[in-house]
Amino acid sequence: MTHAVDPGTPTDPTAVRTPDVGDEVAVLRGAVLILGRRLRQQQAGDDLSPSESAVMGRVGAAGPMTPGQLARCEHVQPPSMTRIIERLEARGYLRRDPHPDDRRQVLVSRTPAGDEFVEQSRLVRTAWLAFQLSRLDDADQAVLAAAGPALRRLAELE
């Protein structure tokens, strides 16, 4: 099996490592992974699975989508997506509406309760991160505040 490689991605990981940057990159990678995992665990109430959280975010960002589109975007099989949608619909976070152009399809969208859950979770995550930052000394807080814009640019690179 072969995997498509982004032309901008080196196929040899050592091609991008230099002796003075490699360890720093590894430390940054590890810290970002752990921080991201810990942030995702911060939710308002209901414990959603990572897949359920991803679907809630995707539908909120992209707007109504068919279950097939969601499955492709989230890299899961359609039956798995159907189960995720059913669980979120049972909680009142998603709804299915008839597709306006294709009566064989439905469009999945967030409900007001789903929007509220996402917003409350965002507030919980922000409060958690603010508390964690407050536990650092002033120098570390300043470094992270200064790094914010660069991290945003890094996250937005394609």
Side-chain angles (χ1 to χ4, degrees):
M1 172 188 276
T2 61
H3 298 282
V5 175
D6 180 338
T9 303
T11 55
D12 178 5
T14 61
V16 294
R17 289 192 70 177
T18 60
D20 60 338
V21 176
D23 292 339
E24 293 169 0
V25 170
V27 169
L28 179 61
R29 179 191 50 78
V32 168
L33 288 172
I34 292 167
L35 185 58
R37 186 178 318 120
R38 291 186 67 197
L39 272 167
R40 283 188 298 277
Q41 292 170 347
Q42 309 303 313
Q43 295 181 29
D46 287 346
D47 289 327
L48 298 187
S49 72
S51 296
E52 291 168 341
S53 292
V55 167
M56 291 290 289
R58 174 82 59 183
V59 171
M65 301 176 76
T66 67
Q69 290 170 320
L70 273 169
R72 282 188 297 282
C73 289
E74 295 301 320
H75 306 284
V76 299
Q77 293 299 312
S80 297
M81 183 54 66
T82 298
R83 287 189 294 276
I84 291 168
I85 292 168
E86 287 171 351
R87 287 192 301 267
L88 292 169
E89 191 175 33
R91 289 180 170 166
Y93 294 156
L94 292 182
R95 72 170 183 265
R96 293 183 245 202
D97 296 308
H99 194 289
D101 303 324
D102 185 349
R103 293 191 302 174
R104 298 169 298 167
Q105 291 282 343
V106 295
L107 290 176
V108 177
S109 57
R110 281 199 327 218
T111 64
D115 290 340
E116 179 66 18
F117 174 80
V118 169
E119 181 57 31
Q120 289 302 312
S121 292
R122 194 172 288 132
L123 292 172
V124 167
R125 287 182 181 109
T126 299
W128 178 86
L129 185 56
F131 174 72
Q132 297 301 93
L133 287 169
S134 75
R135 298 170 67 191
L136 297 174
D137 63 33
D138 290 345
D140 282 347
Q141 288 181 33
V143 167
L144 290 172
L151 287 170
R152 166 69 64 150
R153 289 189 296 277
L154 179 62
E156 292 172 350
L157 290 176
E158 295 273 336

